[in-house]
Amino acid sequence: MEELDKSCEYLSGVCPVWCPGCGYYGILSALVEAFADLKLPTKELTLVSGIGCSSRLPYFVKAYGFHSIHGRGLPIAQGVKTANPELTVLAVGGDGDGLAIGGGHLPHVARNNVDITYLLFNNAIYGMTKGQFSPTTTLYPVTKTSPFGLAGEAINPSALAIVYGATFVARGFSVKKEHLKELIIQGIHHRGFSFIEVLASCSSFNTTDMNVARIVKNLEMIPEDHNPEDAIEALRLAADQEKIRLGVFVRHQRPTLGDKFQEMRRKAKGKGAGNMEALLGQFA
Amino acid sequence: MQSDLVLRVAGESGEGVITIGETLCKIAAREGIHIVTFRTFPAEIKGGSCMIQVRLSERRIPYHGEGVDFLICLNQDAVDENLPDLKEHGVLLCEAECDLPEKNPGWTVYKAPFDRIATREIGSRISKNIVVLGALSHLLSLPKETIEKFISEKFARKGKTVLDHNLDALQRGFDFARSHLAKKDSYRLPKGSGRKRLLMTGNEAIAIGATAAGMRYFFGYPITPASEIMEWLAAHLPKMGGMVLQTEDEISAICSVAGASWAGGKSMTSTSGPGLSLMSETIGLLSMAEIPAVIVDSQRGGPSTGMPTKTEQSDLLLALYGSHGDATRVVMAPTSVSDSLRVTALAFAVAEKYQLPVIMLVDQALSARLETVDRETVERLPQGSRSCASPADGAPFVRYQLGASAVSPAALPGTQGGEHMVTGMEHDERGNFACDEETHTAMTVKRFRKLAAIESDPLVAEFCTRLGDENSEIGIVTWGSSAGPVEEALAVAKGMGISAQAIIPRILNPLPHQELKTFFGKVKRVIVPELNFVGQLATLLRSTYRIPTIGLTKVKGVPLDPSEIVEKIVEAESTLNARSTRAYGRAG
């Protein structure tokens, strides 16, 4: 009961707009419980999102929230972290937001190793616009905009993040809240870009792809002896067609964007003094 | 002795044409001479014709000059292309083998075998431009020691062999000229004040202005002709504790700016028309969420890829209206390099104070041109800061308070008790989405009240200037770099006995209504010179003030010539004399 109280301190009081039965409620619970476990001060907590059902999440959390435009949560989060590295920055968004319209940003935030945690809510459908296929739609091919089936193959978000070089890649499931909470805690702890794919069912427009019974039946935890620095093995696990693997695929350390900036500042200062007088000198 | 000298160097890209021009500029700037240059760039990376025109003067000059006094041509193509611009009593210095037209209106011609000296005597063809500099130092009595110093600075890091070749080239060019080219003309460098001036390009001035204004976070994507802003900042902003990040596209750049600015850092991006098109949606977000940002657009020939290396002023309507919905933004346009320094600082002051995006329009010609700048300009830049709240503990923070002031204080992430939402959705005072009738009206009014407040802010008072005869009935309204040729044209017209006046607003949204209404109340003709086809400023003025305008538009990829404006002034004067018309007294 005490734990519940603590996590409730991270709720803003704004009532979620999600449908009854939406998998996102589970993600919200896991998220605020993770914040409570980490005892994160709300003033340093920053949530950035794009557009879509999942991107509404920042309204429901007591934090600094930025609900932006479709597909652009990641570059905005990159800007926030750059200007104030002290903040704990999370980006949230859906499969359409992050892999369709905003798909061009993911490789760059990953390769820059921006020290933020990105939760990609994967429900394999466009929910907010009421039922068009998304880049991860697979088993539910007949949608409002694909009445005769899908033209393209689905994207595997975790596999993609591994290939893009994200330094922390994990997959969770909204129903397995405790596990998801642990992944979020690990993601926030990780220094660098943390990518967490969260499977969640859309109760209104696609109950097939992320069907809870199907996922429960097929899920398998990543073996404890998996070496998270082995990206090839991680990719094999993430791309597994037979089993839905949950857990941490990849975790390794390399300098973050902030570290690189520090290094660049150091090198630049070796090339000249940091004041206007010195900068103007080159024009004299 | 003449007070002005217009000198042009022309050749093939890669021949070192720009080095000749820039070296002359550096020497002159140290003597305290005023300089304005104009450069053309071929679209090719290597090859293609290029030129730099340098106008040097004892007094402040607004324009790079029309007609050339002293032309230097490195090959036959350069002669063919540029000789028509040489004035009647001008000087031509060219490669010995160049053919010249039989008819010579009075030119002084010097020929020298630059190519042969470089190739045979020095054994380095690429040192040809330095041979030319040597000859010039004789013909224009330039201080050779100063040139030697510049060459040493420029080539020192390339090793002793290269440096020696170039110093040798300078000496041989000088010796050849002294023994073979007896000075027959009277052109010299104008007299300088002796007060050293800074010499920089428009793009450098923007980078300096932004740095001086406290900008520390720059995100951008390479694009001609704006890339030099990012390049300069990449080299120098980290020294100031800032950083530059080249993003994957312009959308990422402006979104990163939005994030960094929301977090409290003064942030900026620079681009050209294609990039501004991509940024349009985020400009609406910045407007809606009330986040400061400065976006520089160095305009080039459009639409689409257009003419990337050529100048144009055809993004005004995009800057004013681009993005869906009623999106508030401020649009500014500096007129010169030193003006770019001031207006960039003003852009930050206004963006921060009023929490909105500011788009600053320059153009290729202004971005690339070298100009002398007084050091004092950097010391007297406009300043403004963001109003930040000290939230009360316990009560939810009200980010978008409706009240007496158009600007509601922000709370930067990290501030105790300031947790709140910012959003691209319509929202209530706390930032929660709200789609009811009253809220959307009230919040739209809130956002637009800021524009009205800016118009009357003393901060912007000095950024609308008047030129010429204030009693004249012929008026000119222009913007951006076209102000230079307009100022020049007013002087030319005055010399012809025709009086005219001009008004040059640096802020194009919100327009300085008081100044413009007063102006339109006095004049009977309004000429609007600008570098686009449809007359974008003229369209804005007609729709805002319901006045007839006389358009003067040009889409050739080069700046307006003063003579083109003078022609319009003369035309307007003739219609003025034909029948009297009342002033636009009821304008607006």
Side-chain angles (χ1 to χ4, degrees), chain A residues 90-225:
Chain A
L90 284 92
V92 296
D95 35 300
D97 186 83
L99 300 173
I101 189 167
H105 302 307
L106 182 56
H108 300 278
V109 172
R111 76 191 184 88
N112 289 345
N113 201 26
V114 184
D115 187 13
I116 61 174
T117 302
Y118 177 37
L119 271 67
L120 188 140
F121 297 17
N122 183 4
N123 66 357
I125 197 78
Y126 282 71
M128 187 136 266
T129 48
K130 300 186 179 176
Q132 301 82 12
F133 69 89
S134 90
T136 58
T137 308
T138 313
L139 305 171
Y140 187 71
V142 177
T143 72
K144 283 180 180 166
T145 47
S146 56
F148 308 111
L150 296 163
E153 284 295 311
I155 287 172
N156 181 323
S158 290
L160 205 61
I162 294 166
V163 173
Y164 284 157
T167 51
F168 179 95
V169 181
R171 186 189 284 145
F173 179 32
S174 64
V175 173
K176 288 184 74 70
K177 199 178 76 177
E178 276 303 308
H179 178 251
L180 177 58
K181 183 184 87 175
E182 287 307 317
L183 291 182
I184 293 169
I185 289 171
Q186 288 183 49
I188 292 173
H189 271 313
H190 176 72
R191 240 180 136 263
F193 181 58
S194 307
F195 177 93
I196 304 172
E197 175 190 357
V198 189
L199 308 179
S201 180
C202 172
S203 53
S204 295
F205 301 105
N206 181 356
T207 51
T208 312
D209 268 302
M210 298 301 163
N211 182 280
V212 173
R214 188 183 73 83
I215 292 174
V216 168
K217 194 175 140 214
N218 292 303
L219 72 79
E220 192 169 305
M221 290 300 162
I222 293 170
E224 285 195 5
D225 62 355

Side-chain angles (χ1 to χ4, degrees), chain A residues 42-43 46 56 59 63-67 72 75-76 78-80 82-83 105 108 261 265 268-269 274 277 282-283, chain B residues 198-199 204 236 239-243 248 251 255-256 259-260 375 412 414-415 418-420 422-425 433:
Chain A
T42 53
K43 67 168 185 168
T46 312
R56 291 294 182 96
Y59 291 101
Y64 281 89
F66 194 151
H67 179 220
R72 314 302 168 202
I76 291 173
Q78 169 175 271
V80 173
T82 298
H105 302 307
H108 300 278
F261 286 149
R265 286 180 185 124
K269 281 173 185 165
E277 195 56 34
Q282 62 177 287
F283 300 104
Chain B
L198 303 173
L199 182 70
E204 286 165 342
H236 302 291
K239 293 178 192 168
M240 305 288 283
M243 51 63 50
E248 60 273 23
I251 296 174
C255 285
S256 300
R375 192 175 274 265
L412 305 182
T415 308
E419 296 88 344
H420 69 275
V422 294
T423 169
M425 295 192 79
F433 53 86

